[in-house]
């Protein structure tokens, strides 16, 4: 019999699998594993500028074979998904029917899940972030370290973020910043005492990027092609861990299948997996099942297995705001050949009331490798002048992304409904007036400080609920014995052999990006399971 | 404000080589290669961008394109004229021939100020003069 079946192949799944496989257990991972079969081989290995100036075939990956890279509609969730990344959404409508109203329930059947196209920011949580949870930082410490050693995490442990991103000595050297980061840090450093006293902390982003070789992955090459491809495998993707897992004889990967439901037997669990391209399902029996299909996906599997129609589960999602800014502090800076990349240049924490839990996280990106015509689209000016102006100013454009924390509430729910006998997941998500007012107040206070960093905020864009693509809390970890919750060790209450090791178990979300904690918690749950099954 | 989808049905407005020449000349002041013009026509067809009075008038009298574009930018950002100009800009930007016309680069502050002032004022005039014109003309084809 199989020891453990893992549903999913994303950041949680592969990190839950590692301790199980290392313990010698027979592990089968099941996932749709959709891959890009169009663009990955046509993008040459080169830096952005060189490809723009020399590759005659660049239109295929920059615009897409169907011109899907020319967005005529409004700015939407996943707007950063370039044609080579749009496979992340393939098959979702068909296999994961969802009616989320105005909530943007971004799901993926891709190999590596949503982390196949993530921004790679990995700030760790501390006890303050996990207030009210049944686990604390001490429970995750060794797992953060194990995951950091596995994926490669860079940052500057001595900068002003250290008080909010306590690291356990796992950091690789920080990324080098570009001209925008250089001018922002210059201004921050000259006013850091004042800014810190007003609650603003800036530093080198904590990123899942190898700035020196880690295992077979090479050091980051600053090609500025992170939105387009993974030729330089230094930005972590779950498939790198999956490749390592596949070298073990006790690990099997069942691609092209989706776990739909499970049923428990006395000392085992029977899993139904269906091929994505049609045909009959397969049943597999294992001692344990670990669901890592994402907070929305795992909730769908649990509700379907329990035959629980119209049963609401909680849902939390970091509210997200974009603020394009002009970096006037960098105007006139000569091009000294600063290294370039498209990921976070500067990480910020705004923590004006340390006694309260309402910190917000900011990430500053340079706008460059998403092409100038997309800026022209957002401009109300005539196109010829827009082109000239955007070409002149894009060098100094940065985008500030702001994440807020989120807590469960009565109007933040998902449930499974039968529509013409087919299961459809419905989402209702509304924030209270108090939450919205606090968000606006915090953003206004943060934006008032931006000129001190040389940034002029131009426009506040709220892409809508769910747009952070951070979802959690559907099957929360709690000490209270309630149905559809999980124990401290990740076991789903009411079951003996079903474990949840993804974002579903996080009871709420602090403002910090959740993926590092998802991976560490998955490693913790996998380690616990490995110990209990090895006895 | 910016270009928004108008949910047009697949275009029945012919997309000919002349249109590609006119729009490219308006945007970058020179003619693109035939394969790039063909790519533009293919993109307009695939993206099913319809037609409008502003587009028709602009193609008939290319000298008016600047006013029509500036006016639409202010009062009708989803007009097919703007959408087709955006598609042409995208097609041109993703070519080695025209990349330098789009690739951002640092400039000394006086040059930057001069560029912003000159093109900003030009754009403002086009918008202010063109907007009433576009409003009077209406949306239809």
């Amino acid at each position: 019999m199989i020891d453990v079946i893992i549903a999913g192949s994303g950041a949680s799944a592969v990190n839950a699998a590692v301790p199980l496989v290392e313990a010698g257990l027979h592990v089968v991972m099941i996932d749709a594993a959709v891959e890009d079969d169009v663009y990955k081989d046509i993008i040459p290995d080169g830096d952005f500028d060189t490809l723009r100036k020399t590759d005659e075939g660049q239109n295929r990956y920059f615009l897409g074979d169907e011109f899907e890279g020319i967005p005529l509609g409004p700015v939407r969730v996943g707007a950063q998904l370039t044609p080579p990344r749009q496979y992340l959404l393939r098959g979702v409508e068909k296999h994961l029917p969802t009616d989320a109203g105005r909530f943007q329930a971004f799901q993926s059947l891709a190999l590596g899940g949503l982390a196949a196209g993530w921004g790679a920011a990995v700030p760790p949580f501390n006890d303050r972030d996990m207030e009210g949870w049944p686990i604390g930082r001490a429970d995750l410490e060794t797992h953060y370290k194990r995951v950091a050693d596995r994926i490669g995490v860079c940052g500057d442990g001595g900068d002003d973020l250290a008080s909010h991103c306590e690291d356990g000595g796992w950091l690789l050297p920080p990324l080098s910043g570009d001209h925008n980061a250089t001018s922002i840090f210059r201004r921050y450093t000259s006013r850091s005492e004042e800014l810190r006293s007003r609650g603003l902390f800036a530093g080198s982003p904590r990123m899942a990027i190898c700035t020196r070789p880690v295992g077979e992955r090479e050091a980051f090459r600053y090609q500025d092609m992170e939105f387009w491809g993974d030729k330089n495998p230094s930005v972590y993707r779950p498939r790198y861990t999956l490749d390592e897992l596949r070298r073990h004889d006790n690990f099997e990967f069942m691609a092209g299948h989706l776990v739909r439901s499970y049923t428990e037997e006395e000392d085992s669990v029977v899993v139904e997996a269906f091929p994505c391209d049609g045909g009959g399902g397969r049943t597999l029996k294992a001692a344990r099942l670990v669901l890592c299909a994402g907070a929305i996906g795992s909730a769908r599997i649990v509700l379907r297995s329990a035959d629980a129609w119209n049963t609401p589960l909680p849902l939390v999602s970091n509210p997200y705001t974009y603020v394009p800014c002009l970096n006037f502090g960098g105007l006139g800076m000569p091009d000294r050949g600063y290294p370039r990349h498209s990921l976070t240049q500067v990480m910020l924490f705004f923590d004006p009331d340390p006694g309260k839990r309402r910190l917000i996280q900011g990430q500053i990106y340079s706008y460059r490798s998403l092409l100038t015509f997309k800026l022209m689209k957002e401009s109300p000016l005539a196109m010829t002048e827009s082109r000239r102006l955007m070409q002149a100013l894009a060098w100094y454009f940065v985008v500030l992304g702001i994440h807020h924390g989120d807590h469960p509430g009565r109007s933040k729910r998902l449930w499974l409904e039968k529509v013409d006998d087919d299961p459809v997941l419905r989402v209702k998500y509304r924030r209270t007036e108090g939450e919205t007012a606090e968000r606006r107040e915090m953003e206004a206070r943060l934006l008032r400080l931006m000129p001190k960093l040389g940034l002029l905020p131009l426009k506040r864009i709220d892409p809508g609920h769910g747009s952070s693509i951070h979802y959690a809390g559907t099957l929360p970890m709690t000490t209270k014995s309630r149905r559809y919750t999980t124990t401290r060790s990740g076991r789903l209450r009411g079951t003996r052999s079903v474990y949840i090791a993804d974002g579903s178990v996080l009871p709420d979300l602090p403002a910090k990006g959740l993926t590092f904690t998802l991976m560490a918690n998955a490693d913790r749950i996998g380690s616990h399971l490995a110990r209990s099954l090895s006895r | 404000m910016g270009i928004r989808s108008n949910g047009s049905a697949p275009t029945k407005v012919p997309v000919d080589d002349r249109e590609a020449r006119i729009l490219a000349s308006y945007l970058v002041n020179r003619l693109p290669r035939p394969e790039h013009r063909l790519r533009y026509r293919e993109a307009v067809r695939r993206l099913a961008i319809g037609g409008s009075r502003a587009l028709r008038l602009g193609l008939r009298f290319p000298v008016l394109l600047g006013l029509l574009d500036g006016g639409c930018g202010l009062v009708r950002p989803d007009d097919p004229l703007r959408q087709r100009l955006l598609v042409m800009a995208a097609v041109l930007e993703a070519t080695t021939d025209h990349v330098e016309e789009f690739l951002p680069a640092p400039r000394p502050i006086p040059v930057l100020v001069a560029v912003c002032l000159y093109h900003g004022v030009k754009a403002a005039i086009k918008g202010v003069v063109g907007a009433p014109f576009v409003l009077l003309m209406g949306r239809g084809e």
Side-chain angles (χ1 to χ4, degrees):
Chain A
M1 186 167 73
I2 299 164
D3 291 312
V4 180
I5 290 174
I6 297 178
S9 70
S12 303
V14 297
N15 283 289
V18 170
L20 294 164
V21 171
E22 284 176 349
L25 296 167
H26 178 199
V27 176
V28 175
M29 182 176 281
I30 303 174
D31 191 57
V34 170
E35 290 192 79
D36 166 31
D37 48 11
V38 178
Y39 298 108
K40 76 175 179 205
D41 295 327
I42 63 167
I43 303 177
D45 187 7
D47 67 84
F48 181 75
D49 276 1
T50 305
L51 296 182
R52 297 291 311 279
K53 289 174 184 171
T54 60
D55 184 15
E56 293 287 346
Q58 62 183 278
N59 60 292
R60 286 197 62 195
Y61 47 91
F62 284 137
L63 304 184
D65 284 345
E66 304 290 325
F67 301 98
E68 65 271 29
I70 306 178
L72 295 178
V75 175
R76 56 176 173 79
V77 65
Q80 69 277 35
L81 284 185
T82 55
R85 297 280 190 222
Q86 289 193 10
Y87 77 96
L88 290 177
L89 300 175
R90 203 190 311 151
V92 168
E93 211 171 307
K94 178 180 174 193
H95 294 294
L96 306 174
T98 304
D99 175 2
R102 293 168 69 183
F103 182 85
Q104 299 171 73
F106 197 102
Q107 300 165 87
S108 179
L109 296 174
L111 179 74
L114 290 169
W118 70 324
V122 283
F125 289 4
N126 55 26
D127 283 330
R128 185 178 162 204
D129 299 317
M130 293 187 269
E131 197 183 310
W133 295 17
I135 59 168
R137 174 64 184 249
D139 298 294
L140 289 179
E141 194 65 38
T142 54
H143 305 285
Y144 273 133
K145 172 85 169 91
R146 278 167 53 94
V147 170
D149 290 346
R150 192 177 297 148
I151 68 176
V153 172
C154 67
D156 179 353
D159 67 16
D160 281 355
L161 298 188
S163 55
H164 292 87
C165 289
E166 302 88 338
D167 76 274
W170 56 62
L171 291 178
L172 301 170
L175 284 173
S176 300
D178 67 2
H179 58 287
N180 286 317
T182 303
S183 79
I184 291 167
F185 278 131
R186 200 175 286 164
R187 288 197 168 230
Y188 175 78
T189 306
S190 67
R191 297 164 176 79
S192 62
E193 204 169 320
E194 181 206 343
L195 290 170
R196 280 198 307 263
S197 73
R198 295 175 70 176
L200 186 66
F201 301 83
S204 165
R206 278 32 174 188
M207 305 290 281
I209 296 177
C210 312
T211 45
R212 61 171 181 239
V214 170
E216 292 171 9
R217 289 163 57 211
E218 58 184 294
F220 194 54
R221 283 195 267 140
Y222 296 94
Q223 292 185 318
D224 203 8
M225 287 293 288
E226 292 79 27
F227 285 134
W228 306 95
D230 298 315
K231 287 285 177 199
N232 171 209
S234 49
V235 181
Y236 178 72
R237 307 286 177 212
R239 70 182 159 88
Y240 305 146
T241 305
L242 183 60
D243 288 343
E244 287 169 20
L245 288 166
R246 288 168 103 161
R247 291 180 196 150
H248 294 261
D249 293 335
N250 55 329
F251 178 81
E252 286 178 58
F253 186 57
M254 201 169 133
H257 286 72
L258 273 178
V259 171
R260 276 199 196 162
S261 60
Y262 57 82
T263 46
E264 278 200 291
E265 294 181 349
E266 198 167 323
D267 56 354
S268 61
V269 58
V270 177
V271 171
E272 269 194 287
F274 283 79
C276 295
D277 55 4
R282 284 178 62 182
T283 56
L284 294 94
K285 189 185 268 198
R288 298 287 184 273
L289 167 66
V290 180
L291 294 178
C292 295
I296 297 174
S298 291
R300 185 193 301 267
I301 295 169
V302 167
L303 290 172
R304 188 167 179 161
S305 305
D307 211 15
W309 305 96
N310 303 305
T311 303
L313 298 181
L315 173 68
V316 290
S317 173
N318 292 119
Y320 190 53
T321 305
Y322 299 90
V323 184
C325 301
L326 181 69
N327 177 21
F328 65 81
L331 293 180
M333 266 178 74
D335 184 8
R336 294 215 176 93
Y338 293 103
R340 291 173 189 155
H341 63 83
S342 313
L343 301 169
T344 306
Q345 295 283 346
V346 178
M347 190 174 266
L348 305 171
F349 288 109
F350 183 51
D351 187 11
D353 313 300
K356 297 182 185 172
R357 202 191 164 194
R358 51 181 209 160
L359 164 131
I360 59 179
Q361 179 190 308
Q363 288 166 240
I364 296 176
Y365 304 82
S366 285
Y367 185 98
R368 216 179 70 95
S369 72
L370 283 176
L371 305 194
T372 304
F373 80 88
K374 290 185 187 171
L375 289 175
M376 293 165 60
K377 169 180 171 275
E378 298 305 317
S379 155
L381 306 177
M383 290 282 184
T384 39
E385 280 70 35
S386 279
R387 176 179 69 77
R388 301 273 194 176
L389 289 167
M390 297 307 163
Q391 186 188 20
L393 293 173
W395 188 261
Y396 310 102
F397 272 144
V398 298
V399 177
L400 167 65
I402 303 172
H403 283 104
H404 298 261
D406 193 24
H407 296 271
R410 284 174 167 271
S411 55
K412 300 170 186 171
R413 293 274 191 263
L414 61 74
W415 66 96
L416 205 54
E417 248 181 58
K418 266 189 186 164
V419 177
D420 299 332
D421 260 1
D422 291 324
V424 173
L425 194 87
R426 292 203 193 273
V427 179
K428 175 187 168 192
Y429 184 99
R430 209 173 51 240
R431 291 172 63 77
T432 65
E433 283 179 17
E435 287 175 323
T436 305
E438 182 175 305
R439 173 184 177 185
R440 285 188 174 271
E441 181 225 321
M442 288 287 278
E443 284 177 6
R445 289 172 70 183
L446 173 64
L447 294 182
R448 277 200 292 274
L449 293 176
M450 289 301 101
K452 303 255 179 203
L453 299 180
L455 300 180
L456 175 68
L458 300 173
K459 187 177 179 182
R460 183 185 164 279
I461 300 171
D462 177 356
H465 298 318
S467 55
S468 61
I469 320 181
H470 292 170
Y471 313 118
T474 47
L475 301 159
M477 248 189 299
T478 171
T479 49
K480 293 174 190 158
S481 185
R482 284 199 314 259
R483 203 155 185 220
Y484 304 116
T485 62
T486 45
T487 64
R488 199 174 174 277
S489 58
R491 184 178 54 79
L492 181 67
R493 286 203 170 85
T495 70
R496 292 176 300 279
S497 44
V498 179
Y499 286 72
I500 318 285
D502 57 24
S504 315
V505 302
L506 308 188
D508 53 47
L509 283 175
K512 292 176 184 170
L514 75 171
T515 312
F516 194 21
T517 303
L518 292 188
M519 292 192 273
N521 192 49
D523 187 88
R524 183 184 71 85
I525 291 169
S527 303
H528 165 82
L529 211 44
R531 281 194 300 276
S532 70
L533 287 171
S534 302
R535 271 180 208 139
Chain B
M1 198 179 288
I3 287 181
R4 299 285 178 261
S5 173
N6 60 1
S8 321
T11 178
K12 289 176 187 166
V13 179
V15 189
D16 56 19
D17 193 57
R18 181 175 168 272
E19 173 180 325
R21 287 164 180 262
I22 290 171
L23 297 189
S25 301
Y26 167 67
L27 279 173
V28 295
N29 226 0
R30 63 192 176 108
L31 281 183
R33 281 196 251 161
E35 61 263 37
H36 300 154
R37 303 201 297 265
L38 197 63
R39 190 176 297 154
Y40 164 78
R41 293 165 65 185
E42 179 64 14
V44 171
R45 264 195 292 269
R46 293 247 186 151
L47 295 170
I49 303 173
S52 69
R53 284 184 193 146
L55 174 70
R56 208 175 51 194
L57 193 66
L59 295 178
R60 192 159 173 201
F61 303 106
V63 71
L64 293 178
L65 261 177
L67 292 182
L68 293 165
D69 174 23
C72 286
L74 281 184
V75 300
R76 201 170 294 148
D78 61 350
D79 192 279
L81 169 64
R82 293 276 293 182
Q83 294 186 328
R84 290 187 189 216
L85 282 168
L86 183 79
V87 170
M88 179 53 91
V91 166
L92 294 175
E93 186 172 7
T95 63
T96 53
D97 290 8
H98 295 276
V99 66
E100 297 290 357
E101 285 146 355
F102 290 85
L103 208 55
R107 294 164 197 233
I109 291 179
V111 176
L112 194 67
V113 171
V115 166
C116 290
L117 272 178
Y118 177 68
H119 292 290
V121 169
K122 245 175 107 178
I125 292 170
K126 283 182 178 178
V128 169
V129 177
F133 201 41
V134 169
L135 283 173
L136 280 174
M137 204 164 38
R139 182 180 282 274
E141 289 186 31

